[in-house]
């Protein structure tokens, strides 16, 4: 089996795909600069991850020359990180953000230029090879990886610091994702620092301290996955909440049927004639049913006692009996007092708060048949 489909790579690809799909969805809904920046960040990281795979990097090197995939990989990482920095800057520094963004592009351009020059200085037989004891003492290799690593360290630390600042004002549902992202970026920064120390010690002083390189790899991998999990978490949580709400509304829609049916038979005009449109059909049908039931109760209220709303909260069975009696009086054409009454418990001032007493009343109506 190709290493492209190893368990770790598969997990990473799933996270990248989920994060990128969520960000593209957000951009289509709100094509703002912050949304574009985060989407560019995830896209850059995803592309860099793919270019790390030998099956793809080999094709790029064959097309553009040895070392091209390595340059592209590190340049995409730097661009993705720069996009994340720009996102935080654009959210924090107000009207002067565009000038500051231009300033932020200068170190990015310098880092990419340095990588290209360093790769050109590398001996042809070493171009594109990973960092290790056999390559570290080549000046081109050392400059390439050190230049790329220093920019990554700067960007990772800056973004982690921005996220920690945002934690103070973020809502509770967003904090988990932000914490995961901050821990992931900090972990990747630790790994990058270990790699930079490995390069400096070996290139400048001579000794190859393998433990620094060995420590750096798991920190970078784990940090990247945590960052992706943090970016993905709010979207996954939102989708799970939406699915849970749809299931709940579907159940409540069915549970309200006994009450809705008797009221529609008495007052056919309460049925809204405009068909539901757009997304969220289950939710819309649920809200329509609640509105129609509430309208039916209001029309029937002249036949109900003044304390009907309180009875609904305290004794749904008694309220159901009173409702049946009122429906019989209305069907028989008896006179009413002509005054609208409170038909729901006090405090039920929106659709969501209306649902609970209506569910109890509908269940009592069904049980009393």
């Amino acid at each position: 089996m190709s290493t492209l489909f190893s368990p770790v790579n598969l997990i990473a690809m799933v996270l990248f795909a989920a994060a990128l799909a969520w960000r593209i969805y957000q951009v289509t809904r709100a094509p703002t600069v912050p949304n574009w920046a985060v989407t560019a960040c995830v896209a850059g990281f995803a592309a860099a991850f793919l270019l790390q795979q030998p099956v793809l990097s080999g094709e790029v090197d064959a097309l553009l020359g040895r070392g091209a995939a390595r340059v592209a990989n590190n340049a995409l990482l730097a661009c993705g990180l720069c996009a994340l920095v720009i996102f935080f800057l654009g959210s924090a520094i107000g009207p002067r953000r565009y000038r500051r963004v231009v300033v932020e592009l200068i170190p990015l351009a310098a880092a990419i230029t340095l990588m290209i020059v360093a790769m050109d200085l590398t001996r042809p037989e070493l171009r594109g090879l990973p960092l290790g004891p056999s390559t570290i003492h080549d000046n081109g290799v050392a400059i390439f990886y050190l230049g790329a690593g220093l920019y990554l360290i700067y960007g990772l630390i800056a973004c982690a610091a921005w996220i920690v600042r945002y934690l103070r004002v973020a809502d509770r549902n967003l904090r988990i994702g932000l914490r995961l992202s901050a821990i992931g970026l900090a972990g990747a920064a630790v790994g990058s620092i270990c790699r930079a120390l490995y390069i400096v010690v070996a290139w400048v002083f001579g000794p190859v301290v393998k433990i620094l390189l060995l420590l750096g790899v798991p920190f970078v991998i784990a940090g990247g996955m945590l960052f992706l999990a943090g970016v993905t978490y709010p979207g996954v949580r939102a989708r799970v909440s939406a699915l849970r709400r749809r299931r709940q509304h579907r159940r409540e829609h069915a549970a309200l049927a006994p009450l809705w049916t008797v009221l529609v038979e008495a007052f056919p005009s309460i049925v809204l004639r405009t068909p539901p449109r757009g997304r969220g059909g289950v939710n819309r049908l649920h809200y329509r049913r609640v509105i129609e039931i509430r309208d039916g109760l209001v029309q029937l209220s002249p036949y109900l006692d003044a304390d009907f709303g309180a009875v609904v909260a305290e004794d749904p069975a008694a309220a159901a009996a009173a409702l049946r009696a009122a429906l019989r009086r209305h069907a028989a054409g008896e006179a009413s007092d002509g005054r609208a009454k409170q038909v729901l418990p006090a405090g039920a001032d929106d659709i969501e708060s209306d649902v609970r007493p209506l569910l109890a009343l509908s269940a009592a109506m069904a049980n009393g048949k």
Side-chain angles (χ1 to χ4, degrees), residues 169-177 179 233 237:
V169 295
D171 61 71
R172 184 172 59 87
N173 292 333
L174 188 58
R175 285 177 189 167
I176 294 177
R179 286 196 185 100
Y233 176 81
R237 181 185 177 92

Side-chain angles (χ1 to χ4, degrees), residues 12-276:
M13 283 190 283
V14 168
L15 288 173
F16 273 124
L20 190 56
W22 174 247
R23 293 315 315 171
I24 291 174
Y25 172 70
Q26 291 295 312
V27 166
T28 59
R29 294 188 63 187
T32 61
V33 172
N35 273 340
W36 275 112
V38 178
T39 304
C41 168
V42 176
F45 288 170
F49 168 77
L50 290 175
L51 275 177
Q52 279 185 318
Q53 310 310 313
V55 65
L56 297 177
S57 62
E59 293 294 330
V60 173
D61 282 351
L63 181 65
L64 302 176
R66 290 194 63 178
R70 189 72 64 176
V71 173
N73 167 260
N74 284 272
L76 284 167
L77 280 175
C79 289
L81 201 53
C82 182
L84 193 58
V85 173
I86 288 172
F87 162 76
F88 288 118
L89 289 174
S91 302
I93 62 180
R96 298 179 59 190
R97 63 184 179 274
Y98 299 111
R99 183 182 302 175
R100 183 65 180 84
V101 164
V102 172
V103 172
E104 192 60 41
L105 294 176
I106 295 174
L108 173 67
I112 294 175
T113 302
L114 179 61
M115 285 187 271
I116 294 172
V117 172
M119 187 60 70
D120 187 61
L121 293 174
T122 303
R123 298 202 307 271
E125 65 272 18
L126 298 181
R127 291 176 185 173
L129 294 181
L131 185 65
S134 62
T135 58
I136 184 57
H137 292 103
D138 181 85
N139 289 338
V141 172
I143 294 172
F144 174 84
Y145 283 106
L146 187 60
L150 289 177
Y151 183 82
L152 290 180
I153 292 169
Y154 156 71
L156 290 167
I157 292 175
C159 291
W162 278 112
I163 291 176
V164 170
R165 289 180 61 180
Y166 273 103
L167 277 172
R168 303 170 187 171
V169 295
D171 61 71
R172 184 172 59 87
N173 292 333
L174 188 58
R175 285 177 189 167
I176 294 177
L178 289 175
R179 286 196 185 100
L180 287 173
S181 296
I183 293 170
L185 292 173
V190 170
S192 298
I193 291 171
C194 289
R195 191 174 72 163
L197 288 174
Y198 172 84
I199 295 169
V200 170
V201 171
W203 184 40
V204 177
F205 301 104
V208 176
V209 186
K210 292 183 179 179
I211 187 64
L212 290 174
L213 192 59
L214 293 174
L215 282 175
V217 173
F219 270 107
V220 170
I221 293 174
M225 288 189 174
L226 280 174
F227 171 74
L228 286 173
V231 172
T232 307
Y233 176 81
V236 172
R237 181 185 177 92
R239 296 308 303 162
V240 170
S241 297
L243 290 173
R244 185 181 296 119
R245 186 166 57 252
R246 288 184 63 187
R247 287 197 297 269
Q248 177 184 345
H249 284 176
R250 188 178 290 110
R251 290 194 300 268
E252 291 178 352
H253 184 268
L256 290 170
L259 178 58
W260 178 83
T261 300
V262 296
L263 290 173
V264 168
E265 289 174 354
F267 306 102
S269 63
I270 65 175
V271 177
L272 300 174
R273 300 303 177 187
T274 305

